[in-house]
PDB file of all heavy atoms in Angstrom:
ATOM      1  N   MET A   1      10.402   3.383  10.126  1.00 91.00           N
ATOM      2  CA  MET A   1      11.092   4.663  10.331  1.00 91.00           C
ATOM      3  C   MET A   1      12.609   4.487  10.230  1.00 91.00           C
ATOM      4  O   MET A   1      13.292   5.324   9.636  1.00 91.00           O
ATOM      5  CB  MET A   1      10.700   5.268  11.678  1.00 91.00           C
ATOM      6  CG  MET A   1      11.091   6.716  11.816  1.00 91.00           C
ATOM      7  SD  MET A   1      10.443   7.829  10.538  1.00 91.00           S
ATOM      8  CE  MET A   1       8.762   8.037  11.077  1.00 91.00           C
ATOM      9  N   ASP A   2      13.131   3.401  10.773  1.00 91.00           N
ATOM     10  CA  ASP A   2      14.576   3.154  10.670  1.00 91.00           C
ATOM     11  C   ASP A   2      15.010   2.983   9.220  1.00 91.00           C
ATOM     12  O   ASP A   2      16.056   3.494   8.811  1.00 91.00           O
ATOM     13  CB  ASP A   2      14.977   1.923  11.487  1.00 91.00           C
ATOM     14  CG  ASP A   2      14.931   2.167  12.984  1.00 91.00           C
ATOM     15  OD1 ASP A   2      14.882   3.343  13.407  1.00 91.00           O
ATOM     16  OD2 ASP A   2      14.938   1.168  13.739  1.00 91.00           O
ATOM     17  N   SER A   3      14.209   2.278   8.428  1.00 91.00           N
ATOM     18  CA  SER A   3      14.577   2.094   7.014  1.00 91.00           C
ATOM     19  C   SER A   3      14.500   3.417   6.262  1.00 91.00           C
ATOM     20  O   SER A   3      15.321   3.681   5.381  1.00 91.00           O
ATOM     21  CB  SER A   3      13.709   1.030   6.355  1.00 91.00           C
ATOM     22  OG  SER A   3      12.403   1.498   6.117  1.00 91.00           O
ATOM     23  N   LEU A   4      13.542   4.286   6.624  1.00 92.00           N
ATOM     24  CA  LEU A   4      13.476   5.604   5.987  1.00 92.00           C
ATOM     25  C   LEU A   4      14.718   6.431   6.303  1.00 92.00           C
ATOM     26  O   LEU A   4      15.242   7.137   5.440  1.00 92.00           O
ATOM     27  CB  LEU A   4      12.226   6.360   6.444  1.00 92.00           C
ATOM     28  CG  LEU A   4      10.926   6.019   5.745  1.00 92.00           C
ATOM     29  CD1 LEU A   4       9.783   6.839   6.325  1.00 92.00           C
ATOM     30  CD2 LEU A   4      11.010   6.225   4.251  1.00 92.00           C
ATOM     31  N   LYS A   5      15.190   6.349   7.539  1.00 93.00           N
ATOM     32  CA  LYS A   5      16.393   7.091   7.916  1.00 93.00           C
ATOM     33  C   LYS A   5      17.592   6.622   7.100  1.00 93.00           C
ATOM     34  O   LYS A   5      18.380   7.434   6.603  1.00 93.00           O
ATOM     35  CB  LYS A   5      16.674   6.920   9.411  1.00 93.00           C
ATOM     36  CG  LYS A   5      15.690   7.643  10.291  1.00 93.00           C
ATOM     37  CD  LYS A   5      15.963   7.352  11.758  1.00 93.00           C
ATOM     38  CE  LYS A   5      14.900   7.977  12.638  1.00 93.00           C
ATOM     39  NZ  LYS A   5      15.090   7.667  14.054  1.00 93.00           N
ATOM     40  N   VAL A   6      17.739   5.318   6.949  1.00 92.00           N
ATOM     41  CA  VAL A   6      18.851   4.771   6.165  1.00 92.00           C
ATOM     42  C   VAL A   6      18.745   5.222   4.713  1.00 92.00           C
ATOM     43  O   VAL A   6      19.733   5.662   4.104  1.00 92.00           O
ATOM     44  CB  VAL A   6      18.871   3.226   6.269  1.00 92.00           C
ATOM     45  CG1 VAL A   6      19.821   2.618   5.248  1.00 92.00           C
ATOM     46  CG2 VAL A   6      19.232   2.793   7.681  1.00 92.00           C
ATOM     47  N   GLU A   7      17.542   5.137   4.147  1.00 92.00           N
ATOM     48  CA  GLU A   7      17.365   5.535   2.749  1.00 92.00           C
ATOM     49  C   GLU A   7      17.600   7.029   2.558  1.00 92.00           C
ATOM     50  O   GLU A   7      18.219   7.449   1.581  1.00 92.00           O
ATOM     51  CB  GLU A   7      15.970   5.126   2.279  1.00 92.00           C
ATOM     52  CG  GLU A   7      15.847   3.619   2.126  1.00 92.00           C
ATOM     53  CD  GLU A   7      14.423   3.098   2.179  1.00 92.00           C
ATOM     54  OE1 GLU A   7      13.498   3.870   2.508  1.00 92.00           O
ATOM     55  OE2 GLU A   7      14.253   1.896   1.912  1.00 92.00           O
ATOM     56  N   ALA A   8      17.126   7.847   3.498  1.00 91.00           N
ATOM     57  CA  ALA A   8      17.345   9.293   3.400  1.00 91.00           C
ATOM     58  C   ALA A   8      18.829   9.614   3.464  1.00 91.00           C
ATOM     59  O   ALA A   8      19.326  10.454   2.706  1.00 91.00           O
ATOM     60  CB  ALA A   8      16.590  10.019   4.510  1.00 91.00           C
ATOM     61  N   ASN A   9      19.547   8.964   4.351  1.00 89.00           N
ATOM     62  CA  ASN A   9      20.992   9.200   4.458  1.00 89.00           C
ATOM     63  C   ASN A   9      21.722   8.743   3.204  1.00 89.00           C
ATOM     64  O   ASN A   9      22.657   9.402   2.742  1.00 89.00           O
ATOM     65  CB  ASN A   9      21.561   8.514   5.701  1.00 89.00           C
ATOM     66  CG  ASN A   9      21.130   9.210   6.976  1.00 89.00           C
ATOM     67  OD1 ASN A   9      20.935  10.415   6.991  1.00 89.00           O
ATOM     68  ND2 ASN A   9      20.967   8.446   8.035  1.00 89.00           N
ATOM     69  N   MET A  10      21.293   7.623   2.636  1.00 89.00           N
ATOM     70  CA  MET A  10      21.906   7.127   1.408  1.00 89.00           C
ATOM     71  C   MET A  10      21.661   8.109   0.257  1.00 89.00           C
ATOM     72  O   MET A  10      22.586   8.472  -0.471  1.00 89.00           O
ATOM     73  CB  MET A  10      21.328   5.752   1.057  1.00 89.00           C
ATOM     74  CG  MET A  10      21.851   5.169  -0.234  1.00 89.00           C
ATOM     75  SD  MET A  10      21.070   3.592  -0.650  1.00 89.00           S
ATOM     76  CE  MET A  10      19.390   4.091  -0.957  1.00 89.00           C
ATOM     77  N   ILE A  11      20.431   8.555   0.130  1.00 89.00           N
ATOM     78  CA  ILE A  11      20.087   9.475  -0.965  1.00 89.00           C
ATOM     79  C   ILE A  11      20.756  10.822  -0.760  1.00 89.00           C
ATOM     80  O   ILE A  11      21.329  11.395  -1.691  1.00 89.00           O
ATOM     81  CB  ILE A  11      18.555   9.631  -1.079  1.00 89.00           C
ATOM     82  CG1 ILE A  11      17.923   8.297  -1.506  1.00 89.00           C
ATOM     83  CG2 ILE A  11      18.200  10.728  -2.080  1.00 89.00           C
ATOM     84  CD1 ILE A  11      16.416   8.256  -1.368  1.00 89.00           C
ATOM     85  N   SER A  12      20.706  11.346   0.463  1.00 86.00           N
ATOM     86  CA  SER A  12      21.287  12.674   0.704  1.00 86.00           C
ATOM     87  C   SER A  12      22.794  12.673   0.495  1.00 86.00           C
ATOM     88  O   SER A  12      23.364  13.681   0.093  1.00 86.00           O
ATOM     89  CB  SER A  12      20.932  13.173   2.105  1.00 86.00           C
ATOM     90  OG  SER A  12      21.523  12.370   3.097  1.00 86.00           O
ATOM     91  N   GLY A  13      23.446  11.539   0.731  1.00 84.00           N
ATOM     92  CA  GLY A  13      24.876  11.439   0.480  1.00 84.00           C
ATOM     93  C   GLY A  13      25.216  11.492  -0.998  1.00 84.00           C
ATOM     94  O   GLY A  13      26.353  11.780  -1.368  1.00 84.00           O
ATOM     95  N   SER A  14      24.233  11.243  -1.846  1.00 82.00           N
ATOM     96  CA  SER A  14      24.459  11.255  -3.292  1.00 82.00           C
ATOM     97  C   SER A  14      24.151  12.594  -3.943  1.00 82.00           C
ATOM     98  O   SER A  14      24.452  12.796  -5.109  1.00 82.00           O
ATOM     99  CB  SER A  14      23.567  10.194  -3.958  1.00 82.00           C
ATOM    100  OG  SER A  14      23.815   8.934  -3.428  1.00 82.00           O
ATOM    101  N   LEU A  15      23.520  13.488  -3.194  1.00 81.00           N
ATOM    102  CA  LEU A  15      23.088  14.746  -3.793  1.00 81.00           C
ATOM    103  C   LEU A  15      24.225  15.754  -3.904  1.00 81.00           C
ATOM    104  O   LEU A  15      25.088  15.842  -3.050  1.00 81.00           O
ATOM    105  CB  LEU A  15      21.956  15.369  -2.966  1.00 81.00           C
ATOM    106  CG  LEU A  15      20.622  14.636  -3.008  1.00 81.00           C
ATOM    107  CD1 LEU A  15      19.620  15.347  -2.120  1.00 81.00           C
ATOM    108  CD2 LEU A  15      20.094  14.538  -4.422  1.00 81.00           C
ATOM    109  N   ILE A  16      24.173  16.501  -5.000  1.00 73.00           N
ATOM    110  CA  ILE A  16      25.064  17.639  -5.200  1.00 73.00           C
ATOM    111  C   ILE A  16      24.198  18.849  -4.873  1.00 73.00           C
ATOM    112  O   ILE A  16      23.380  19.272  -5.672  1.00 73.00           O
ATOM    113  CB  ILE A  16      25.576  17.697  -6.652  1.00 73.00           C
ATOM    114  CG1 ILE A  16      26.258  16.378  -7.005  1.00 73.00           C
ATOM    115  CG2 ILE A  16      26.493  18.882  -6.854  1.00 73.00           C
ATOM    116  CD1 ILE A  16      26.404  16.144  -8.475  1.00 73.00           C
ATOM    117  N   THR A  17      24.363  19.383  -3.698  1.00 64.00           N
ATOM    118  CA  THR A  17      23.375  20.325  -3.172  1.00 64.00           C
ATOM    119  C   THR A  17      23.314  21.681  -3.851  1.00 64.00           C
ATOM    120  O   THR A  17      22.410  22.442  -3.595  1.00 64.00           O
ATOM    121  CB  THR A  17      23.597  20.538  -1.658  1.00 64.00           C
ATOM    122  OG1 THR A  17      24.907  21.029  -1.469  1.00 64.00           O
ATOM    123  CG2 THR A  17      23.382  19.263  -0.900  1.00 64.00           C
ATOM    124  N   ASP A  18      24.252  22.020  -4.710  1.00 74.00           N
ATOM    125  CA  ASP A  18      24.239  23.347  -5.330  1.00 74.00           C
ATOM    126  C   ASP A  18      23.543  23.384  -6.687  1.00 74.00           C
ATOM    127  O   ASP A  18      23.240  24.461  -7.182  1.00 74.00           O
ATOM    128  CB  ASP A  18      25.667  23.872  -5.489  1.00 74.00           C
ATOM    129  CG  ASP A  18      26.316  24.153  -4.148  1.00 74.00           C
ATOM    130  OD1 ASP A  18      25.559  24.395  -3.180  1.00 74.00           O
ATOM    131  OD2 ASP A  18      27.555  24.114  -4.057  1.00 74.00           O
ATOM    132  N   ASN A  19      23.287  22.255  -7.303  1.00 81.00           N
ATOM    133  CA  ASN A  19      22.728  22.252  -8.642  1.00 81.00           C
ATOM    134  C   ASN A  19      21.425  21.457  -8.666  1.00 81.00           C
ATOM    135  O   ASN A  19      21.433  20.234  -8.574  1.00 81.00           O
ATOM    136  CB  ASN A  19      23.746  21.649  -9.613  1.00 81.00           C
ATOM    137  CG  ASN A  19      23.306  21.774 -11.051  1.00 81.00           C
ATOM    138  OD1 ASN A  19      22.183  21.443 -11.405  1.00 81.00           O
ATOM    139  ND2 ASN A  19      24.213  22.251 -11.892  1.00 81.00           N
ATOM    140  N   LEU A  20      20.303  22.165  -8.831  1.00 82.00           N
ATOM    141  CA  LEU A  20      18.987  21.528  -8.773  1.00 82.00           C
ATOM    142  C   LEU A  20      18.817  20.480  -9.870  1.00 82.00           C
ATOM    143  O   LEU A  20      18.321  19.376  -9.611  1.00 82.00           O
ATOM    144  CB  LEU A  20      17.878  22.580  -8.858  1.00 82.00           C
ATOM    145  CG  LEU A  20      16.453  22.035  -8.826  1.00 82.00           C
ATOM    146  CD1 LEU A  20      16.189  21.273  -7.526  1.00 82.00           C
ATOM    147  CD2 LEU A  20      15.444  23.157  -8.992  1.00 82.00           C
ATOM    148  N   ASN A  21      19.198  20.776 -11.091  1.00 83.00           N
ATOM    149  CA  ASN A  21      19.017  19.818 -12.190  1.00 83.00           C
ATOM    150  C   ASN A  21      19.807  18.534 -11.960  1.00 83.00           C
ATOM    151  O   ASN A  21      19.304  17.435 -12.226  1.00 83.00           O
ATOM    152  CB  ASN A  21      19.417  20.456 -13.528  1.00 83.00           C
ATOM    153  CG  ASN A  21      18.417  21.517 -13.948  1.00 83.00           C
ATOM    154  OD1 ASN A  21      17.239  21.450 -13.604  1.00 83.00           O
ATOM    155  ND2 ASN A  21      18.889  22.514 -14.666  1.00 83.00           N
ATOM    156  N   GLN A  22      21.032  18.653 -11.478  1.00 85.00           N
ATOM    157  CA  GLN A  22      21.811  17.452 -11.181  1.00 85.00           C
ATOM    158  C   GLN A  22      21.195  16.687 -10.011  1.00 85.00           C
ATOM    159  O   GLN A  22      21.186  15.460 -10.006  1.00 85.00           O
ATOM    160  CB  GLN A  22      23.258  17.818 -10.880  1.00 85.00           C
ATOM    161  CG  GLN A  22      24.030  18.228 -12.113  1.00 85.00           C
ATOM    162  CD  GLN A  22      25.458  18.620 -11.784  1.00 85.00           C
ATOM    163  OE1 GLN A  22      25.761  18.999 -10.655  1.00 85.00           O
ATOM    164  NE2 GLN A  22      26.329  18.540 -12.788  1.00 85.00           N
ATOM    165  N   ASN A  23      20.676  17.415  -9.025  1.00 84.00           N
ATOM    166  CA  ASN A  23      20.015  16.752  -7.901  1.00 84.00           C
ATOM    167  C   ASN A  23      18.802  15.956  -8.366  1.00 84.00           C
ATOM    168  O   ASN A  23      18.577  14.841  -7.911  1.00 84.00           O
ATOM    169  CB  ASN A  23      19.582  17.776  -6.848  1.00 84.00           C
ATOM    170  CG  ASN A  23      20.753  18.288  -6.037  1.00 84.00           C
ATOM    171  OD1 ASN A  23      21.781  17.627  -5.938  1.00 84.00           O
ATOM    172  ND2 ASN A  23      20.597  19.461  -5.466  1.00 84.00           N
ATOM    173  N   ILE A  24      18.035  16.526  -9.268  1.00 84.00           N
ATOM    174  CA  ILE A  24      16.851  15.838  -9.780  1.00 84.00           C
ATOM    175  C   ILE A  24      17.251  14.579 -10.539  1.00 84.00           C
ATOM    176  O   ILE A  24      16.610  13.530 -10.412  1.00 84.00           O
ATOM    177  CB  ILE A  24      15.991  16.794 -10.635  1.00 84.00           C
ATOM    178  CG1 ILE A  24      15.331  17.825  -9.709  1.00 84.00           C
ATOM    179  CG2 ILE A  24      14.953  16.032 -11.448  1.00 84.00           C
ATOM    180  CD1 ILE A  24      14.589  18.934 -10.408  1.00 84.00           C
ATOM    181  N   GLN A  25      18.328  14.640 -11.310  1.00 85.00           N
ATOM    182  CA  GLN A  25      18.812  13.446 -12.003  1.00 85.00           C
ATOM    183  C   GLN A  25      19.211  12.362 -11.008  1.00 85.00           C
ATOM    184  O   GLN A  25      18.947  11.182 -11.215  1.00 85.00           O
ATOM    185  CB  GLN A  25      19.994  13.802 -12.913  1.00 85.00           C
ATOM    186  CG  GLN A  25      19.602  14.623 -14.115  1.00 85.00           C
ATOM    187  CD  GLN A  25      20.804  15.085 -14.913  1.00 85.00           C
ATOM    188  OE1 GLN A  25      21.961  14.874 -14.525  1.00 85.00           O
ATOM    189  NE2 GLN A  25      20.546  15.725 -16.042  1.00 85.00           N
ATOM    190  N   VAL A  26      19.856  12.770  -9.929  1.00 85.00           N
ATOM    191  CA  VAL A  26      20.246  11.810  -8.888  1.00 85.00           C
ATOM    192  C   VAL A  26      18.998  11.217  -8.237  1.00 85.00           C
ATOM    193  O   VAL A  26      18.895  10.000  -8.035  1.00 85.00           O
ATOM    194  CB  VAL A  26      21.155  12.482  -7.830  1.00 85.00           C
ATOM    195  CG1 VAL A  26      21.351  11.567  -6.627  1.00 85.00           C
ATOM    196  CG2 VAL A  26      22.489  12.858  -8.442  1.00 85.00           C
ATOM    197  N   LEU A  27      18.030  12.061  -7.905  1.00 87.00           N
ATOM    198  CA  LEU A  27      16.814  11.589  -7.235  1.00 87.00           C
ATOM    199  C   LEU A  27      16.022  10.623  -8.115  1.00 87.00           C
ATOM    200  O   LEU A  27      15.407   9.685  -7.601  1.00 87.00           O
ATOM    201  CB  LEU A  27      15.934  12.783  -6.831  1.00 87.00           C
ATOM    202  CG  LEU A  27      16.523  13.685  -5.749  1.00 87.00           C
ATOM    203  CD1 LEU A  27      15.622  14.891  -5.523  1.00 87.00           C
ATOM    204  CD2 LEU A  27      16.758  12.931  -4.464  1.00 87.00           C
ATOM    205  N   ASP A  28      16.053  10.839  -9.419  1.00 85.00           N
ATOM    206  CA  ASP A  28      15.347   9.927 -10.334  1.00 85.00           C
ATOM    207  C   ASP A  28      15.874   8.500 -10.234  1.00 85.00           C
ATOM    208  O   ASP A  28      15.134   7.546 -10.467  1.00 85.00           O
ATOM    209  CB  ASP A  28      15.467  10.422 -11.779  1.00 85.00           C
ATOM    210  CG  ASP A  28      14.505  11.559 -12.079  1.00 85.00           C
ATOM    211  OD1 ASP A  28      13.487  11.693 -11.360  1.00 85.00           O
ATOM    212  OD2 ASP A  28      14.764  12.317 -13.038  1.00 85.00           O
ATOM    213  N   ARG A  29      17.133   8.344  -9.871  1.00 85.00           N
ATOM    214  CA  ARG A  29      17.707   6.993  -9.742  1.00 85.00           C
ATOM    215  C   ARG A  29      17.121   6.227  -8.561  1.00 85.00           C
ATOM    216  O   ARG A  29      17.161   5.013  -8.524  1.00 85.00           O
ATOM    217  CB  ARG A  29      19.225   7.080  -9.581  1.00 85.00           C
ATOM    218  CG  ARG A  29      19.930   7.455 -10.858  1.00 85.00           C
ATOM    219  CD  ARG A  29      21.420   7.318 -10.683  1.00 85.00           C
ATOM    220  NE  ARG A  29      21.988   8.653 -10.881  1.00 85.00           N
ATOM    221  CZ  ARG A  29      23.066   9.086 -10.286  1.00 85.00           C
ATOM    222  NH1 ARG A  29      23.715   8.335  -9.439  1.00 85.00           N
ATOM    223  NH2 ARG A  29      23.517  10.292 -10.525  1.00 85.00           N
ATOM    224  N   TYR A  30      16.612   6.943  -7.570  1.00 84.00           N
ATOM    225  CA  TYR A  30      16.102   6.310  -6.355  1.00 84.00           C
ATOM    226  C   TYR A  30      14.578   6.223  -6.309  1.00 84.00           C
ATOM    227  O   TYR A  30      14.017   5.770  -5.319  1.00 84.00           O
ATOM    228  CB  TYR A  30      16.570   7.089  -5.120  1.00 84.00           C
ATOM    229  CG  TYR A  30      18.054   7.065  -4.918  1.00 84.00           C
ATOM    230  CD1 TYR A  30      18.839   8.156  -5.263  1.00 84.00           C
ATOM    231  CD2 TYR A  30      18.681   5.951  -4.376  1.00 84.00           C
ATOM    232  CE1 TYR A  30      20.210   8.142  -5.067  1.00 84.00           C
ATOM    233  CE2 TYR A  30      20.056   5.920  -4.182  1.00 84.00           C
ATOM    234  CZ  TYR A  30      20.803   7.026  -4.529  1.00 84.00           C
ATOM    235  OH  TYR A  30      22.154   6.993  -4.340  1.00 84.00           O
ATOM    236  N   GLN A  31      13.907   6.618  -7.372  1.00 77.00           N
ATOM    237  CA  GLN A  31      12.459   6.757  -7.312  1.00 77.00           C
ATOM    238  C   GLN A  31      11.707   5.447  -7.103  1.00 77.00           C
ATOM    239  O   GLN A  31      10.574   5.456  -6.618  1.00 77.00           O
ATOM    240  CB  GLN A  31      11.941   7.480  -8.543  1.00 77.00           C
ATOM    241  CG  GLN A  31      12.089   6.719  -9.839  1.00 77.00           C
ATOM    242  CD  GLN A  31      11.570   7.542 -10.993  1.00 77.00           C
ATOM    243  OE1 GLN A  31      10.802   8.469 -10.809  1.00 77.00           O
ATOM    244  NE2 GLN A  31      11.992   7.191 -12.191  1.00 77.00           N
ATOM    245  N   ASP A  32      12.311   4.322  -7.426  1.00 82.00           N
ATOM    246  CA  ASP A  32      11.627   3.044  -7.227  1.00 82.00           C
ATOM    247  C   ASP A  32      11.761   2.522  -5.800  1.00 82.00           C
ATOM    248  O   ASP A  32      11.088   1.566  -5.423  1.00 82.00           O
ATOM    249  CB  ASP A  32      12.162   1.992  -8.201  1.00 82.00           C
ATOM    250  CG  ASP A  32      11.841   2.339  -9.645  1.00 82.00           C
ATOM    251  OD1 ASP A  32      10.833   3.041  -9.867  1.00 82.00           O
ATOM    252  OD2 ASP A  32      12.595   1.923 -10.537  1.00 82.00           O
ATOM    253  N   ILE A  33      12.619   3.134  -5.004  1.00 84.00           N
ATOM    254  CA  ILE A  33      12.866   2.666  -3.647  1.00 84.00           C
ATOM    255  C   ILE A  33      11.843   3.227  -2.665  1.00 84.00           C
ATOM    256  O   ILE A  33      11.290   2.515  -1.834  1.00 84.00           O
ATOM    257  CB  ILE A  33      14.289   3.061  -3.198  1.00 84.00           C
ATOM    258  CG1 ILE A  33      15.312   2.388  -4.095  1.00 84.00           C
ATOM    259  CG2 ILE A  33      14.515   2.699  -1.747  1.00 84.00           C
ATOM    260  CD1 ILE A  33      16.730   2.843  -3.844  1.00 84.00           C
ATOM    261  N   VAL A  34      11.598   4.536  -2.762  1.00 89.00           N
ATOM    262  CA  VAL A  34      10.815   5.231  -1.758  1.00 89.00           C
ATOM    263  C   VAL A  34      10.244   6.503  -2.384  1.00 89.00           C
ATOM    264  O   VAL A  34      10.732   6.964  -3.418  1.00 89.00           O
ATOM    265  CB  VAL A  34      11.714   5.547  -0.531  1.00 89.00           C
ATOM    266  CG1 VAL A  34      12.762   6.563  -0.850  1.00 89.00           C
ATOM    267  CG2 VAL A  34      10.928   5.938   0.684  1.00 89.00           C
ATOM    268  N   ARG A  35       9.205   7.068  -1.786  1.00 90.00           N
ATOM    269  CA  ARG A  35       8.719   8.358  -2.269  1.00 90.00           C
ATOM    270  C   ARG A  35       9.705   9.437  -1.830  1.00 90.00           C
ATOM    271  O   ARG A  35      10.105   9.504  -0.674  1.00 90.00           O
ATOM    272  CB  ARG A  35       7.338   8.676  -1.705  1.00 90.00           C
ATOM    273  CG  ARG A  35       6.848  10.007  -2.235  1.00 90.00           C
ATOM    274  CD  ARG A  35       5.465  10.343  -1.813  1.00 90.00           C
ATOM    275  NE  ARG A  35       5.096  11.630  -2.403  1.00 90.00           N
ATOM    276  CZ  ARG A  35       3.979  12.252  -2.130  1.00 90.00           C
ATOM    277  NH1 ARG A  35       3.120  11.723  -1.289  1.00 90.00           N
ATOM    278  NH2 ARG A  35       3.724  13.408  -2.697  1.00 90.00           N
ATOM    279  N   ILE A  36      10.067  10.289  -2.781  1.00 92.00           N
ATOM    280  CA  ILE A  36      11.071  11.317  -2.535  1.00 92.00           C
ATOM    281  C   ILE A  36      10.492  12.692  -2.866  1.00 92.00           C
ATOM    282  O   ILE A  36       9.880  12.868  -3.926  1.00 92.00           O
ATOM    283  CB  ILE A  36      12.326  11.093  -3.402  1.00 92.00           C
ATOM    284  CG1 ILE A  36      12.903   9.709  -3.143  1.00 92.00           C
ATOM    285  CG2 ILE A  36      13.356  12.184  -3.161  1.00 92.00           C
ATOM    286  CD1 ILE A  36      13.954   9.289  -4.144  1.00 92.00           C
ATOM    287  N   THR A  37      10.702  13.635  -1.975  1.00 92.00           N
ATOM    288  CA  THR A  37      10.299  15.022  -2.203  1.00 92.00           C
ATOM    289  C   THR A  37      11.486  15.911  -1.874  1.00 92.00           C
ATOM    290  O   THR A  37      12.112  15.739  -0.828  1.00 92.00           O
ATOM    291  CB  THR A  37       9.100  15.402  -1.308  1.00 92.00           C
ATOM    292  OG1 THR A  37       8.069  14.432  -1.450  1.00 92.00           O
ATOM    293  CG2 THR A  37       8.558  16.768  -1.672  1.00 92.00           C
ATOM    294  N   LEU A  38      11.786  16.838  -2.766  1.00 93.00           N
ATOM    295  CA  LEU A  38      12.820  17.835  -2.509  1.00 93.00           C
ATOM    296  C   LEU A  38      12.110  19.171  -2.354  1.00 93.00           C
ATOM    297  O   LEU A  38      11.342  19.585  -3.223  1.00 93.00           O
ATOM    298  CB  LEU A  38      13.842  17.894  -3.649  1.00 93.00           C
ATOM    299  CG  LEU A  38      15.045  18.800  -3.407  1.00 93.00           C
ATOM    300  CD1 LEU A  38      15.884  18.281  -2.228  1.00 93.00           C
ATOM    301  CD2 LEU A  38      15.904  18.897  -4.658  1.00 93.00           C
ATOM    302  N   ILE A  39      12.370  19.833  -1.225  1.00 94.00           N
ATOM    303  CA  ILE A  39      11.641  21.039  -0.855  1.00 94.00           C
ATOM    304  C   ILE A  39      12.643  22.179  -0.702  1.00 94.00           C
ATOM    305  O   ILE A  39      13.714  22.008  -0.115  1.00 94.00           O
ATOM    306  CB  ILE A  39      10.877  20.805   0.472  1.00 94.00           C
ATOM    307  CG1 ILE A  39       9.967  19.589   0.327  1.00 94.00           C
ATOM    308  CG2 ILE A  39      10.108  22.039   0.890  1.00 94.00           C
ATOM    309  CD1 ILE A  39       9.533  18.987   1.635  1.00 94.00           C
ATOM    310  N   ASP A  40      12.265  23.345  -1.213  1.00 92.00           N
ATOM    311  CA  ASP A  40      13.111  24.538  -1.070  1.00 92.00           C
ATOM    312  C   ASP A  40      12.921  25.129   0.327  1.00 92.00           C
ATOM    313  O   ASP A  40      11.977  24.787   1.043  1.00 92.00           O
ATOM    314  CB  ASP A  40      12.743  25.572  -2.138  1.00 92.00           C
ATOM    315  CG  ASP A  40      13.872  26.536  -2.437  1.00 92.00           C
ATOM    316  OD1 ASP A  40      14.887  26.513  -1.727  1.00 92.00           O
ATOM    317  OD2 ASP A  40      13.727  27.321  -3.396  1.00 92.00           O
ATOM    318  N   SER A  41      13.802  26.028   0.709  1.00 91.00           N
ATOM    319  CA  SER A  41      13.766  26.612   2.059  1.00 91.00           C
ATOM    320  C   SER A  41      12.480  27.397   2.334  1.00 91.00           C
ATOM    321  O   SER A  41      12.099  27.574   3.479  1.00 91.00           O
ATOM    322  CB  SER A  41      14.976  27.513   2.283  1.00 91.00           C
ATOM    323  OG  SER A  41      14.983  28.543   1.315  1.00 91.00           O
ATOM    324  N   ASP A  42      11.785  27.844   1.279  1.00 93.00           N
ATOM    325  CA  ASP A  42      10.538  28.573   1.474  1.00 93.00           C
ATOM    326  C   ASP A  42       9.309  27.655   1.463  1.00 93.00           C
ATOM    327  O   ASP A  42       8.180  28.106   1.538  1.00 93.00           O
ATOM    328  CB  ASP A  42      10.381  29.670   0.427  1.00 93.00           C
ATOM    329  CG  ASP A  42      10.232  29.130  -0.986  1.00 93.00           C
ATOM    330  OD1 ASP A  42      10.307  27.898  -1.192  1.00 93.00           O
ATOM    331  OD2 ASP A  42      10.053  29.952  -1.909  1.00 93.00           O
ATOM    332  N   GLY A  43       9.535  26.327   1.369  1.00 93.00           N
ATOM    333  CA  GLY A  43       8.443  25.357   1.390  1.00 93.00           C
ATOM    334  C   GLY A  43       7.945  24.932   0.021  1.00 93.00           C
ATOM    335  O   GLY A  43       7.091  24.051  -0.090  1.00 93.00           O
TER     336      GLY A  43
END
C-alpha cells in the first residue's frame, strides 16, 4: 500500500488534468510500473 501511494503521487504529479489525450499519453509512460485506471467524476 505504501508503494502504491508513492506511485500514485508520482503519476498524479505528472498529469495535466485539463486535457484527457495528454493525460493518456502521460499514463502510457507508467504502464509497466503498476495498473493504472483514470476515472471520470461520473464513474
Side-chain angles (χ1 to χ4, degrees):
M1 194 57 78
D2 288 344
S3 74
L4 278 179
K5 289 176 185 177
V6 168
E7 289 158 351
N9 289 329
M10 177 183 66
I11 294 168
S12 65
S14 303
L15 291 179
I16 304 162
T17 59
D18 293 335
N19 187 311
L20 179 60
N21 290 331
Q22 287 179 336
N23 285 337
I24 289 173
Q25 290 174 355
V26 170
L27 293 175
D28 281 338
R29 287 189 242 149
Y30 295 102
Q31 67 181 340
D32 295 333
I33 298 173
V34 68
R35 181 176 181 186
I36 303 168
T37 309
L38 186 64
I39 304 161
D40 204 352
S41 59
D42 65 357

